[in-house]
Amino acid sequence: MQTVLITGANRGLGLEFCRQYAAADYKVIAACRNPSHSEQLAALAKQYPQIQIETLDVADFNQIDALSTKLADHKIDVLLNNAGVYGDQASRGFGQLDYQTWASVLAVNVMAPLKLAEAFLPQVQRSDKRLIVALSSLMGSMTDNTSGGSILYRSSKAGLNAALKSLSIDLRSAAVGVLILHPGWVRTDMGGPNGLIDAEESVSGMRKVIDNFSLADTGRFVKYDGSALPW
């Protein structure tokens, strides 16, 4: 049985990842900030006993270290950095930027995935799959940005892409892969009701990309359907 650790596992794409991986007979370590308020995740764990729920606020790096210590003897085939925040507000665009919120967005969307990679690298290295995945966004693409706006979110995803591309080079000699995924515009709490696809389709596509990953693909920035995206 392979193991996946999923952050932000209590709703949206994270919850759907938990559902699909559990149904595929993975051991699922589902991490979220407030498990006691995550009724859907708790119900899913009752249905699939191989789901292990853990408390984790990815912005709290001490919690990341503590969870790594707790799971020190585990093998983690896929470290799936799903947790993320948007941060931008229509009333706080350029000229009225909220720099404190910006710093928080960068901490969650850029620094936390790298901290998780550092903290759980030993567990990933002991596994068979040996893969670190992060959910980014096409909004982090410089080439694709023709509409402006969303400065906080765009900059965080561009930063995440840059950091993970570098990490993919650094870890290649250790045979640990890095994959950067764009889930598409999904109908979730973050994506809103006008999204083009639902969470089930997005996650199903991303799981296929993950399943078919080889080290030759490390450092790629790809859409949920496997197509390459511009940086």
Side-chain angles (χ1 to χ4, degrees), residues 3-231:
T3 299
V4 57
L5 190 160
I6 303 167
T7 64
N10 59 306
R11 63 177 185 172
L13 293 173
L15 185 64
E16 183 61 25
F17 268 119
C18 290
R19 180 180 291 109
Q20 291 195 22
Y21 272 117
D25 203 29
Y26 274 67
K27 177 178 176 56
V28 177
I29 302 171
C32 63
R33 283 183 298 175
N34 297 302
S36 61
H37 297 125
S38 303
E39 292 83 4
Q40 289 180 294
L41 181 58
L44 193 64
K46 287 184 179 180
Q47 182 180 355
Y48 295 102
Q50 72 267 35
I51 295 178
Q52 174 181 335
I53 301 176
E54 296 289 350
T55 301
L56 180 65
D57 180 350
V58 297
D60 186 335
F61 290 2
N62 289 328
Q63 282 192 25
I64 293 175
D65 286 332
L67 184 58
S68 178
T69 298
K70 179 179 180 179
L71 302 176
D73 296 331
H74 283 61
K75 297 178 181 179
I76 296 175
D77 292 271
V78 181
L79 174 61
L80 208 166
N81 292 281
N82 165 75
V85 293
Y86 184 66
D88 287 280
Q89 302 176 57
S91 61
R92 298 301 299 268
F94 180 75
Q96 294 182 312
L97 289 172
D98 184 338
Y99 288 92
Q100 185 173 354
T101 297
W102 196 353
S104 297
V105 171
L106 292 172
V108 171
N109 290 359
V110 185
M111 289 185 272
L114 272 292
K115 175 60 180 176
L116 280 149
E118 285 186 323
F120 286 95
L121 183 60
Q123 291 93 325
V124 173
Q125 286 182 299
R126 286 200 299 271
S127 74
D128 296 324
K129 188 72 173 177
R130 301 165 68 92
L131 180 58
I132 297 169
V133 179
L135 266 59
S136 183
S137 171
L138 187 58
M139 290 182 72
S141 168
M142 302 294 184
T143 303
D144 186 72
N145 186 0
T146 59
S147 59
S150 301
I151 289 174
L152 279 61
Y153 188 70
R154 286 188 187 277
S155 64
S156 72
K157 292 304 186 180
L160 176 64
N161 289 358
L164 289 175
K165 178 63 177 180
S166 190
L167 185 64
S168 73
I169 296 168
D170 295 341
L171 294 182
R172 184 171 187 134
S173 62
V176 173
V178 175
L179 186 58
I180 309 161
L181 291 174
H182 167 50
W185 186 8
V186 188
R187 291 184 289 272
T188 61
D189 289 345
M190 183 183 291
N194 297 320
L196 301 178
I197 58 173
D198 60 24
E200 183 178 358
E201 181 181 355
S202 174
V203 169
S204 178
M206 288 188 286
R207 283 187 54 237
K208 289 179 182 177
V209 175
I210 292 168
D211 288 346
N212 293 328
F213 178 86
S214 71
L215 198 58
D217 299 317
T218 195
R220 293 185 66 212
F221 179 31
V222 298
K223 193 176 178 180
Y224 70 95
D225 61 5
S227 57
L229 295 174
W231 296 105

